[in-house]
Amino acid sequence: MRGPLHRHHQGLAGAAGTALAVGLAALFAALPGPAAPRTRAAPAPQFELPAPAPQPIEAAPAGERAAPLESEVQRIDAPSATSPPPISAPPIAAPTLQPKDTPARTVRRELQQLQKMAAPASGYGSTAAAAQAAWQLGLIYLHGAGVRVDRPLAQQWFERAARQGRESWAYAGLAWCTMDGCSAPANPAAATRAIEQLRATHPGRADYLAWLQATQLHPLRITAPNPRSSNSSAYAPQNVALLERAAASGDVPATIELGILAFTDQDVERAQTYFRRVAQRSSVAAHNLKVLQASSRSPSAPLQASTSNAAQAALEMAQMYHRGQGVPANFAEAVRFYRLAEQRGSTQAHKMLELIFSQPMPDGSLNAAWMQQLAQVDVSTPVAALNSRVQTPQLQRLPTPLFDLLPAFWRQQVLEIAGA
């Protein structure tokens, strides 16, 4: 059953529907007129462009080249590989497999080769090469050429070189060692035998060694009652003959000795002749010749006419023999040259002779021990005193009578040490 509330709701719905209908009618009245009907599936209008006409491709006539593409399109080239400057590093030196050769290494290598050659399985001196190697080893140790001086070892090598007679020069080494006492006191008889064995093949050197031995064996009896007897010659005539004969055969040490003697006799021209004769074979002779030539050219001190220079030369030779500089010490020869220097006006030689004969032996002969002490006394001052420095002689001698026989390589080792 419918009550009043139901009727009230129906009234409201009717009124709302009426209002809605009136609104829709007003809206449709405001719209434009009806459009042409169309369906939702109608296609959209299409716009078409005309297709381009194809361009014909024509081949170029025979013999004609087509225009390069570069004329139309810019070509992009890759950079040339050689255009940038090359970057180069300095070459890396490969490390050497062998150590750098030094003078000491060279000396050691040469010495080892000589020692190997000198000691073959067949024995010392059994071959010519072995004997020659032993002879050279003796010279090397005698002079300290790249090694320490070892005089006993030098004599031992000389003996090995001479063992089977295949190296005649070995007798020169034995003569000098027995004369000068390399490993034992001097033995004049053994020196004489060695000199005679040497004479068969090298007579010049044998004469020089005989002269050297004669000057050493000269008696030391110079008595005090007449100590300054005049003697115009420093050497006995027979000894000078040995020197001249040796020099005539071309012996270098003998020729140098004759030059020194000529100089002490104030004969500079003759001295130069002797030194010039062997200057190409001896640096000592070349040095002496240079000294004399320089002195001769000096107008202030002409050597040949100068008494003081001649006296000084004789004094220096006396000091060489007195001190054993370049030659074996020989007191008899020292006294002779002191006398010669005194005769030529040397006050130093006069003082030394007074000192020498102030303490003779009881029998009047020279006192060898006293002479050894006087060797280092400086008499150039008013009061004699020990000399702290060794005077250098004006002219030079060879270090030993065998020095010129050293091979050039080993001789240079000695000269480098001397010049250091």
Side-chain angles (χ1 to χ4, degrees):
M1 163 176 178
R2 299 178 178 180
L5 182 61
H6 176 72
R7 290 191 296 270
H8 174 74
H9 282 289
Q10 280 185 333
L12 289 177
T18 303
L20 179 62
V22 173
L24 290 173
L27 177 63
F28 287 124
L31 291 174
R38 64 177 183 179
T39 63
R40 295 179 63 179
Q46 300 292 322
F47 298 93
E48 296 182 358
L49 294 176
Q55 298 292 329
I57 299 175
E58 298 180 357
E64 278 188 32
R65 294 186 61 184
L69 295 177
E70 288 82 350
S71 61
E72 299 175 1
V73 181
Q74 184 177 3
R75 182 174 180 176
I76 301 175
D77 293 329
S80 174
T82 59
S83 56
I87 301 175
S88 59
I92 301 176
T96 57
L97 298 179
Q98 298 294 332
K100 185 178 179 181
D101 211 9
T102 61
R105 192 183 302 277
T106 302
V107 167
R108 187 162 55 250
R109 183 180 63 248
E110 294 293 328
L111 192 65
Q112 290 172 350
Q113 290 178 355
L114 283 176
Q115 290 170 339
K116 183 177 180 180
M117 290 176 59
S122 53
Y124 293 116
S126 57
T127 65
Q132 185 180 41
W135 154 246
Q136 291 186 17
L137 286 168
L139 291 174
I140 289 169
Y141 282 104
L142 178 67
H143 297 94
V147 297
R148 63 182 178 83
V149 174
D150 193 334
R151 288 157 55 86
L153 183 57
Q155 182 169 348
Q156 186 178 22
W157 279 115
F158 291 146
E159 292 170 350
R160 291 170 176 173
R163 183 168 298 178
Q164 300 191 36
R166 287 186 167 85
E167 179 52 73
S168 57
W169 275 117
Y171 298 119
L174 290 176
W176 174 244
C177 274
T178 52
M179 189 188 307
D180 197 47
C182 288
S183 60
N187 188 340
T192 301
R193 288 194 299 270
I195 291 172
E196 292 308 313
Q197 288 175 298
L198 178 67
R199 191 179 300 280
T201 51
H202 305 288
R205 188 55 54 96
D207 284 335
Y208 174 70
L209 291 172
W211 167 83
L212 197 57
Q213 185 182 34
T215 60
Q216 283 187 304
L217 294 178
H218 193 279
L220 293 178
R221 287 184 61 84
I222 304 177
T223 55
N226 189 18
R228 302 181 185 87
S229 59
S230 61
N231 184 359
S232 59
S233 175
Y235 300 110
Q238 63 271 21
N239 295 340
V240 175
L242 286 171
L243 270 183
E244 291 175 343
R245 192 167 65 190
S249 69
D251 189 75
V252 172
T255 306
I256 293 175
E257 197 65 41
L258 285 174
I260 294 175
L261 284 177
F263 175 69
T264 59
D265 288 338
Q266 305 184 53
D267 192 342
V268 178
E269 185 176 351
R270 185 161 60 95
Q272 289 185 13
T273 300
Y274 282 124
F275 294 140
R276 189 178 295 108
R277 188 182 298 175
V278 293
Q280 296 296 325
R281 300 160 55 195
S282 169
S283 60
V284 170
H287 165 82
N288 291 346
L289 177 62
K290 185 177 180 180
V291 168
L292 294 187
Q293 288 174 338
S295 300
S296 298
R297 287 193 298 266
S298 175
S300 59
L303 258 178
Q304 191 166 359
S306 173
T307 303
S308 61
N309 282 335
Q312 182 65 23
L315 176 64
E316 288 173 348
M317 287 195 65
Q319 291 170 340
M320 287 176 66
Y321 278 109
H322 197 172
R323 298 167 179 167
Q325 295 174 338
V327 293
N330 190 321
F331 297 151
E333 293 304 312
V335 169
R336 286 184 175 184
F337 278 106
Y338 280 132
R339 284 178 176 176
L340 186 60
E342 182 190 35
Q343 293 170 9
R344 294 175 179 175
S346 172
T347 56
Q348 294 184 45
H350 178 76
K351 289 180 182 179
M352 181 57 74
L353 286 172
E354 287 185 338
L355 289 172
I356 289 172
F357 293 106
S358 66
Q359 295 189 28
M361 295 295 288
D363 61 355
S365 62
L366 284 177
N367 187 336
W370 178 235
M371 286 287 292
Q372 289 177 351
Q373 296 180 43
L374 292 178
Q376 302 304 323
V377 169
D378 183 7
V379 292
S380 62
T381 57
V383 178
L386 284 176
N387 190 4
S388 60
R389 67 182 190 278
V390 178
Q391 297 180 358
T392 303
Q394 186 175 11
L395 298 183
Q396 295 180 357
R397 277 186 174 88
L398 295 174
T400 74
L402 309 178
F403 181 73
D404 62 308
L405 302 177
L406 263 173
F409 172 78
W410 297 105
R411 188 163 59 244
Q412 185 62 32
Q413 306 308 310
V414 179
L415 295 176
E416 287 178 359
I417 294 174

